[in-house]
Amino acid sequence: MGTTNILIAGVGGQGLVLSTRIISYAAFKEGFDIKSGDVIGLSQRGGTVWGSVRFGKEVHSPIIPNGEADILLGLEELESLRWLHLMRKNAHIIINKQNIFPNRVLIEKEEYPKDIVADLKSKGFQVDSVDAREIARTAGNVKTENIVLLGRLSKLLPIKYETWIETIKENVPAKTVDINIIAFNKSRE
Amino acid sequence: MGNTELMTGNEAVSRGFWENGGIFAASYPGSPTVEILESMKKYSEIEARWAPNEKVALEMSIGASMAGGRTMVSMKHVGINIAADPFMTFTQIRTKGGFVLVIGDDPGLNSSQNEQDSRFWGKFANIPVLEPSNPQEIKDYTKLALNLSEEFGTPVLLKLTTTLCHGRAPVQLGERTEAVVEGFVEDQGRFCMLPPYANKQQYFMQERIQKLREYNNSTSINALTEKADADTLIITSGVSYQYLLETQPNASILKLAMVYPLPIEKIQELSSKYKKIIVVEELMPFIEEILKANGIKAEGKRFFPFTGELTTEIIRKGLYEAGILEEKPVINEKNIQIPPRTPMLCAGCPHRPVFHILKKAKAVVMGDIGCYSLGILEPFEVLKTNISMGASLGMVQGVASTLRKAGKSEPLVAMIGDGTFFHSGMTGMVELSKTKDNITVIVMDNRTTAMTGGQFTPTTGEYLEGKGDHTISIKGILEAFGIKDITVLDQFKYKETKETMLAAMKREGLSIIITTRPCALNFKIKEPYFYVDQEICISCRSCIGVNCPPISMKQYEGKDKKNSYINPDMCVGCSVCSQVCPVGAIKRSQKEEA
């Protein structure tokens, strides 16, 4: 198989680094060569953040080349629009129904874009719009929001269910393992 | 997988240092190298220390190396500027304990104030520079660096970049091999850099770099991948190599591990077999210029940008223009029609009320480096300058002196955080302590090096409930400098803070305000959230002006105008917005609801 390229987009503080880490470890445990990258630092304070995971037989660049991303995992709607130049035609987009207003929207200098999901569909992407917070809430803890999104992602990737569970166990705080697994399973239903 | 682990570049540095007998590591936190020292802490054989600045980190490391220990000092690219004084003299000395200087460059300025190319330090200071291209090489080159350091008696620069530091990939693990520590053996001729000892060392350095060049000519660390029938040779190093592989060029590739001193003779011999020599390197034409100076007809910056990170598509485009790729690459344009998302102060950040007051006061503020640099951005736009760590204090005196001489004096403010104050602010403060100009210095003592992830500062101890065994009082230091006009205040008492600040800015001479609220990220506020009473809100947007992530304007049903809204999931209950509301519309929820 070729390389699978996953881009994760979100807002600083949403837990993107952990999500990128879990996807990376799951692919690694499954036996793939893997490279990942993410931007941390200044952007942690509510700025634009992104992560990339690339896995396959042999991977060189940790950064996804322009136009080659197969899947976008958008933790926030607006941030999902920011990286479309990296996406393949007809790529999968898993998008969280979550709007976090950027500074210029808060101070009323710009409008938050409307109908993002419809816009993405009209561009030919295969869009899975997920109310991750609501699913997390019904699973028992809103903080499992990102795990809910990973549950959806897991259905698109050649990584075994058991590998995901093992990886989640090793990467979330010990006290929250059970609730995270419940949320992961619920989102895969 | 066996003994393989997924690691970031930063973790791979630490692992490599540990496996190869490292004993002392020091750093000052700065992106992208923060996690090198953070991940060093799990290795009990290593003493890993955060220093107050990079100069002290380097000086401690010099001592550790002179005592015979294998040593590492890591920093971001601008860190070496302040450490350059000891560094430029230390490199003259025949190194004892293996010494690795790790510098993380930030091409594209993801989290930095400039974009300097650290490879030049190698040439400037007569030391070798290694440039790995992935986490496995980072670990391997850390070992190589320690070995070269002891074999040739030289500090070695391991040069990384943001992408390399933060990127993850599988790394083969090894066991630790202890290194013998001889101890400090007196040798003034070796360790005292005064004439005539230092004069001799100029020749030593020349000879050392010559030997390293010979080593680099004969070593197998530089990898040549020859392509039959190709008439182009591409010379590259670092992460650019990985991007280059993605483009699959019809060319031979020489991947350099050691970019200074270059294996010139080897490249000269090799280049005679090719029609075209192309250099792919990030930032400045470092390799390209050395090759040209040695009569090799290399081209690089004609086809590749001098600023920003390289990417696979940028390299594709350059190779196409250089006639190496036949197909014109199709590059999707970035969507710039959507709102940007700049970083913001966190909900409950103690810097917020101070910026709000300074904006209303239309104060002229010299800024400094830290989270409070975000005060440059809208809507505050309060800080008028931003140069380097601690610069606000010297600069404010320069502005004051010039304005006074020109008959244009006005009240001035300088703003500095606690981490930056200890890093390089204290000497500026010594100079300021005798000023007669109207200058107000605001020390934002949030007990945290916040921007880099919340490392402790010398004032954190006071807040650690018995865990801190050491704490330094900034007020005590300033009093010792002979400064009398010092006010310590809690900036969440908005009205009192405003009155105090405005009064201080009116007073002639130096006044100091120390704000005491700790970082909201390290010392989380968990108070009941605030909400807007729609019956009272007059849509005046005073709360929007404090610019807190949970506060926005919202169209409520049955209302003509938008009213303000506070997202209860994001509000931490700091109360600042409720204090600026002129009509008392912002109220605290009950504890049970929170």
Side-chain angles (χ1 to χ4, degrees):
Chain A
M1 64 169 270
T3 303
T4 301
N5 297 313
I6 305 160
L7 187 80
I8 307 107
V11 179
Q14 276 195 299
L16 181 139
V17 171
L18 180 62
S19 300
T20 307
R21 187 185 158 93
I22 290 174
I23 303 167
S24 305
Y25 271 87
F28 173 65
K29 278 177 181 291
E30 199 69 24
F32 292 107
D33 185 26
I34 175 242
K35 289 244 171 81
S36 81
D38 50 47
V39 153
I40 49 180
L42 186 67
S43 300
Q44 282 180 87
R45 307 286 167 273
T48 290
V49 289
W50 59 267
S52 61
V53 180
R54 313 188 68 211
F55 65 89
K57 195 158 174 289
E58 191 185 11
V59 183
H60 302 297
S61 162
I63 310 296
I64 301 171
N66 185 296
E68 294 185 20
D70 303 292
I71 303 170
L72 170 66
L73 185 69
L75 308 186
E76 197 268 352
E77 288 195 341
L78 167 59
E79 290 312 307
S80 308
L81 288 181
R82 208 178 294 284
W83 305 102
L84 300 183
H85 59 289
L86 296 181
M87 308 305 298
R88 268 187 212 290
K89 275 186 184 163
N90 309 321
H92 283 274
I93 297 183
I94 298 166
I95 183 168
N96 189 8
K97 273 188 193 166
Q98 173 77 250
N99 296 345
I100 301 173
F101 291 164
N103 198 11
R104 284 183 71 83
V105 173
L106 292 177
I107 60 178
E108 300 178 283
K109 294 208 170 168
E110 289 192 51
E111 296 265 330
Y112 193 91
K114 292 189 173 64
D115 306 320
I116 290 173
V117 170
D119 181 23
L120 291 172
K121 283 181 180 162
S122 75
K123 289 188 165 93
F125 293 110
Q126 306 178 56
V127 186
D128 180 12
S129 169
V130 187
D131 192 343
R133 177 160 292 206
E134 194 45 42
I135 296 172
R137 204 187 301 273
T138 55
N141 188 338
V142 290
K143 288 187 177 162
T144 61
E145 197 173 337
N146 291 351
I147 293 289
V148 168
L149 294 169
L150 293 184
R152 292 298 175 99
L153 175 71
S154 69
K155 300 201 106 177
L156 299 176
L157 298 180
I159 296 171
K160 287 191 288 293
Y161 172 78
E162 293 73 24
T163 311
W164 282 104
I165 296 299
E166 197 184 318
T167 310
I168 291 169
K169 279 183 185 165
E170 285 171 11
N171 283 282
V172 302
K175 283 188 290 187
T176 68
V177 166
D178 292 346
I179 191 73
N180 273 297
I181 289 172
I182 292 170
F184 185 77
N185 288 338
K186 199 162 177 65
S187 94
R188 283 170 56 96
E189 279 166 10
Chain B
M1 285 175 285
N3 237 4
T4 307
E5 182 58 58
L6 205 52
M7 282 189 166
T8 64
N10 281 335
E11 289 166 344
V13 172
S14 299
R15 180 74 194 193
F17 186 60
W18 176 80
E19 285 180 9
N20 292 287
I23 192 166
F24 183 86
S27 182
Y28 179 81
S31 185
T33 53
V34 179
E35 298 79 18
I36 294 177
L37 203 83
E38 296 280 13
S39 55
M40 202 79 86
K41 287 178 182 164
K42 65 171 174 273
Y43 303 119
S44 61
E45 297 90 341
I46 300 169
E47 175 151 323
R49 294 181 83 111
W50 285 124
N53 69 23
E54 292 86 350
K55 179 172 179 283
V56 176
L58 190 90
E59 288 158 348
M60 288 196 286
S61 303
I62 291 172
S65 168
M66 283 182 176
R70 287 195 149 191
T71 301
M72 173 175 284
V73 58
S74 53
M75 58 193 69
K76 71 181 291 168
H77 61 312
V78 287
I80 188 65
N81 300 341
I82 180 168
D85 190 11
F87 173 66
M88 289 301 293
T89 295
F90 172 57
T91 63
Q92 300 181 118
I93 290 170
R94 183 164 54 83
T95 308
K96 191 170 167 184
F99 189 100
V100 187
L101 165 65
V102 186
I103 300 183
D105 280 8
D106 190 15
L109 300 99
N110 295 289
S111 309
S112 305
Q113 64 271 40
N114 79 22
E115 203 183 29
Q116 64 194 46
D117 188 331
S118 295
R119 295 174 300 175
F120 280 83
W121 289 106
K123 195 174 177 192
F124 196 29
N126 290 299
I127 62 167
V129 181
L130 301 179
E131 246 193 315
S133 78
N134 62 32
Q136 179 67 52
E137 283 183 4
I138 290 174
K139 203 197 86 170
D140 294 344
Y141 290 12
T142 301
K143 175 181 183 174
L144 176 67
L146 287 163
N147 291 344
L148 290 176
S149 176
E150 288 172 359
E151 184 183 340
F152 291 88
T154 181
V156 177
L157 198 172
L158 184 70
K159 192 227 123 182
L160 308 177
T161 60
T162 301
T163 299
L164 282 169
C165 287
H166 295 162
R168 264 195 191 86
V171 174
Q172 291 269 347
L173 303 186
E175 290 306 312
R176 177 174 165 95
T177 310
E178 291 295 341
V180 179
V181 179
E182 191 195 10
F184 187 82
V185 180
E186 286 179 34
D187 186 348
Q188 290 182 308
R190 183 173 182 181
F191 296 142
C192 297
M193 284 301 100
L194 281 181
Y197 300 138
N199 298 104
K200 277 194 294 189
Q201 292 314 103
Q202 310 314 310
Y203 297 94
F204 165 73
M205 284 195 291
Q206 276 305 304
E207 220 174 278
R208 184 176 68 188
I209 213 75
Q210 185 53 39
K211 282 183 190 156
L212 280 157
R213 181 163 147 177
E214 284 158 20
Y215 165 84
N216 206 11
N217 269 313
S218 60
T219 178
S220 58
I221 56 171
N222 303 310
L224 176 67
T225 315
E226 284 180 293
K227 195 154 198 171
D229 315 328
D231 61 3
T232 303
L233 174 69
I234 302 176
I235 299 175
T236 190
S237 65
V239 74
S240 305
Y241 172 68
Q242 303 292 346
Y243 303 143
L244 182 64
L245 290 181
E246 298 278 342
T247 71
Q248 301 178 330
N250 183 25
S252 296
I253 300 173
L254 176 64
K255 176 195 171 292
L256 296 169
M258 189 190 285
V259 296
Y260 191 81
L262 283 175
I264 289 298
E265 291 75 12
K266 188 173 176 174
I267 297 174
Q268 276 168 336
E269 186 194 324
L270 197 57
S271 61
S272 65
K273 297 187 208 160
Y274 294 91
K275 271 197 216 150
K276 269 189 220 166
I277 313 290
I278 301 288
V279 181
V280 178
E281 57 188 325
E282 269 176 343
L283 301 184
M284 299 180 85
F286 180 78
I287 297 170
E288 182 184 347
E289 284 182 352
I290 297 175
L291 295 184
K292 281 178 171 166
N294 282 280
I296 298 165
K297 288 196 179 73
E299 289 295 344
K301 292 298 156 184
R302 241 177 87 192
F303 306 113
F304 305 100
F306 66 93
T307 179
E309 284 184 278
L310 291 181
T311 59
T312 301
E313 49 274 14
I314 290 172
I315 293 176
R316 260 191 201 126
K317 189 164 162 277
L319 291 178
Y320 170 74
E321 283 164 12
I324 295 159
L325 290 185
E326 283 171 17
E327 211 177 318
K328 186 169 185 184
V330 183
I331 297 173
N332 302 330
E333 289 300 319
K334 203 167 177 180
N335 182 0
I336 51 165
Q337 301 299 318
I338 56 174
R341 191 184 297 275
T342 48
M344 292 178 74
L345 300 174
C346 305
C349 175
H351 298 337
R352 184 169 284 110
V354 179
F355 286 144
H356 193 257
I357 293 164
L358 288 169
K359 184 175 175 77
K360 296 265 176 205
K362 296 191 167 62
V364 179
V365 188
M366 303 296 131
D368 225 301
I369 310 261
C371 278
Y372 49 99
S373 301
L374 296 176
I376 297 166
L377 306 179
E378 48 181 14
F380 296 121
E381 296 172 309
V382 161
L383 307 183
K384 307 302 181 192
T385 68
N386 188 74
I387 298 289
S388 64
M389 296 286 282
S392 63
L393 303 182
M395 285 171 65
V396 75
Q397 182 60 64
V399 173
S401 299
T402 303
L403 293 182
R404 175 168 30 76
K405 282 290 180 194
K408 295 177 175 176
S409 286
E410 59 175 308
L412 297 169
V413 177
M415 176 179 285
I416 189 164
D418 49 325
T420 307
F421 175 82
F422 287 106
H423 181 286
S424 334
M426 284 195 291
T427 42
M429 197 58 100
V430 169
E431 179 61 26
L432 264 187
S433 65
K434 61 192 180 201
T435 195
K436 299 210 162 39
D437 294 302
N438 180 349
I439 294 172
T440 303
V441 176
I442 302 172
V443 184
M444 313 272 258
D445 185 6
N446 68 351
R447 327 285 162 147
T448 308
T449 311
M451 188 58 97
T452 50
Q455 292 75 25
F456 290 171
T457 73
T459 67
T460 313
E462 192 185 333
Y463 270 66
L464 293 182
E465 291 175 20
K467 279 181 276 178
D469 56 354
H470 180 67
T471 187
I472 301 176
S473 155
I474 293 178
K475 180 167 186 264
I477 290 173
L478 297 181
E479 282 171 347
F481 287 179
I483 301 169
K484 302 272 186 306
D485 187 347
I486 305 173
T487 312
V488 178
L489 55 79
D490 171 5
Q491 68 268 48
F492 280 0
K493 292 177 180 157
Y494 185 89
K495 193 160 163 263
E496 186 188 317
T497 304
K498 186 176 174 183
E499 283 163 7
T500 307
M501 280 171 57
L502 295 182
M505 284 154 61
K506 284 203 181 91
R507 286 197 295 276
E508 285 302 314
L510 179 67
S511 51
I512 308 275
I513 291 169
I514 303 173
T515 63
T516 57
R517 278 277 166 171
C519 173
L521 208 64
N522 257 17
F523 302 89
K524 287 205 164 51
I525 304 169
K526 288 176 181 164
E527 297 294 328
Y529 64 87
F530 281 81
Y531 66 96
V532 181
D533 186 333
Q534 301 306 325
E535 300 304 313
I536 304 176
C537 175
I538 54 168
S539 309
C540 71
R541 294 169 165 76
S542 295
C543 55
I544 294 291
V546 302
N547 194 227
C548 196
I551 309 178
S552 60
M553 294 304 287
K554 183 173 170 179
Q555 190 67 57
Y556 289 87
E557 268 182 53
K559 290 260 183 181
D560 296 341
K561 290 192 230 163
K562 285 182 174 178
N563 282 2
S564 69
Y565 164 73
I566 300 173
N567 182 337
D569 290 337
M570 294 163 86
C571 175
V572 298
C574 78
S575 86
V576 171
C577 59
S578 74
Q579 295 182 59
V580 302
C581 178
V583 292
I586 300 180
K587 298 172 178 175
R588 200 190 280 277
S589 62
Q590 296 303 309
K591 263 233 147 66
E592 304 82 81
E593 292 175 33

